[in-house]
Amino acid sequence: MPTASLRLATWNVNSIRTRLDRVVDWLARAEVDVLAMQETKCSDGQFPALPFLERGYEVAHVGFNQWNGVAIASRVGLDDVEVGFEGQPTWSSKPDVAATAEARALGATCGGIRVWSLYVPNGRAVGDPHYEYKLKWLAALRDTAAGWLRDDPAAQIALVGDWNIAPKDEDVWSTDYYAGATHVSEPERRAFDAIVDAQFADVVRPFTPGPGVYTYWDYTQLRFQKGRGMRIDFILASPALARRVTGAQIVRDERKGKAPSDHAPVLIDVSRM
């Protein structure tokens, strides 16, 4: 029988082939209906779809090489799959190589929700060309997402993933440590806030308030053990979807154990329509 709610999660898995057993095991234990993944770090042909299919999940993935890559696994339907969003900027790190759209955005309709798995560019350093690319990428996402809501104010949309932005000071373990760095700069925070202002609410924060609540801990210098993390993974929901959210979690325990991702899963429970 169908449950009273749908569970939607996002997880930067930091290589799906390395983390496959952990991911499919957690899907079953957490009873996740839809999982958006980032940093799969493989091409489409290398993505290990079979273990998901065996567990009743359809899978969509876009990846071109060992970098980036996003996926969606769903056991409540996977329709209208779309690679990239309208206006998504292109990138090339080499002047002699044509710029192309990277594998950073994948959309699909799952259980009536339009889910976008997003891996926002890192930015590298303030002033770096990749930083400017990041700001353009976020601006394009904001404009396109705002257009979706203009066309259908009742749309059920979830923008989920690794945003590579800590939008508030409380989202980093030390503001002094990150002073002058990416992820906390004012232009990046304004870009994130612009998407919130376009009526996409952070639906996890109300259930996980306070400083010291993070989703990412670097592997070096015992950052996880020392509680030195960042909150950079978010689920932003359209107004119609936000009204249906009944709970949310940052699953910190999945950062523990053998060969974890450096990110923890983030999930929400959504009442069924």
Side-chain angles (χ1 to χ4, degrees):
M1 294 181 64
T3 60
S5 64
L6 180 149
R7 179 160 284 183
L8 166 64
T10 182
W11 195 357
N12 179 319
V13 295
N14 191 17
S15 177
I16 185 58
R17 290 178 291 174
T18 301
R19 240 65 70 180
L20 177 62
D21 289 345
R22 290 191 63 124
V23 171
V24 295
D25 175 67
W26 180 74
L27 276 177
R29 287 188 288 109
E31 299 184 330
V32 172
D33 296 300
V34 184
L35 175 64
M37 292 167 272
Q38 302 84 43
E39 269 202 288
T40 57
K41 293 185 176 180
C42 64
S43 66
D44 288 346
Q46 295 170 323
F47 187 90
L50 185 58
F52 291 93
L53 298 174
E54 291 174 340
R55 290 161 176 80
Y57 292 85
E58 299 176 83
V59 179
H61 175 263
V62 58
F64 305 126
N65 48 40
Q66 74 273 30
W67 309 112
N68 309 319
V70 286
I72 299 172
S74 171
R75 63 181 184 182
V76 291
L78 189 74
D79 302 312
D80 302 322
V81 175
E82 186 176 358
V83 175
F85 56 85
E86 184 179 352
Q88 181 178 328
T90 58
W91 168 257
S92 175
S93 60
K94 300 177 181 178
D96 58 337
V97 176
T100 58
E102 295 184 298
R104 293 185 177 275
L106 181 70
T109 301
C110 309
I113 300 172
R114 188 64 177 167
V115 178
W116 279 92
S117 181
L118 304 170
Y119 180 42
V120 175
N122 178 282
R124 298 178 183 170
V126 175
D128 188 281
H130 204 260
Y131 177 83
E132 300 303 323
Y133 163 60
K134 179 180 189 175
L135 296 178
K136 291 178 181 178
W137 201 96
L138 289 161
L141 175 62
R142 186 266 176 206
D143 290 347
T144 298
W148 295 332
L149 288 184
R150 282 196 302 272
D151 293 341
D152 181 7
Q156 308 275 334
I157 304 171
L159 307 178
V160 313
D162 177 358
W163 293 77
N164 273 315
I165 299 172
K168 300 178 182 296
D169 283 351
E170 67 182 33
D171 295 331
V172 295
W173 69 272
S174 169
T175 54
D176 290 339
Y177 179 86
Y178 290 106
T182 59
H183 293 51
V184 300
S185 72
E186 286 306 312
E188 290 167 288
R189 288 179 167 182
R190 286 197 298 270
F192 184 92
D193 289 344
I195 296 173
V196 174
D197 290 343
Q199 299 187 69
F200 288 89
D202 176 355
V203 290
V204 177
R205 192 179 296 273
F207 297 93
T208 58
V213 180
Y214 307 129
T215 65
Y216 164 84
W217 302 259
D218 191 87
Y219 289 124
T220 62
Q221 300 177 343
L222 297 176
R223 290 280 175 79
F224 178 71
Q225 291 81 352
K226 295 177 180 178
R228 296 179 175 179
M230 305 179 78
R231 183 176 184 142
I232 58 176
D233 302 84
F234 296 92
I235 297 176
L236 304 187
S238 63
L241 179 60
R243 290 192 289 269
R244 296 170 56 200
V245 175
T246 59
Q249 302 174 47
I250 296 170
V251 191
R252 188 178 184 276
D253 282 353
E254 288 304 312
R255 179 59 175 81
K256 300 177 181 178
K258 183 180 179 181
S261 171
D262 45 4
H263 294 250
V266 178
L267 65 82
I268 59 172
D269 290 315
V270 180
S271 63
R272 292 188 184 269
M273 297 178 65

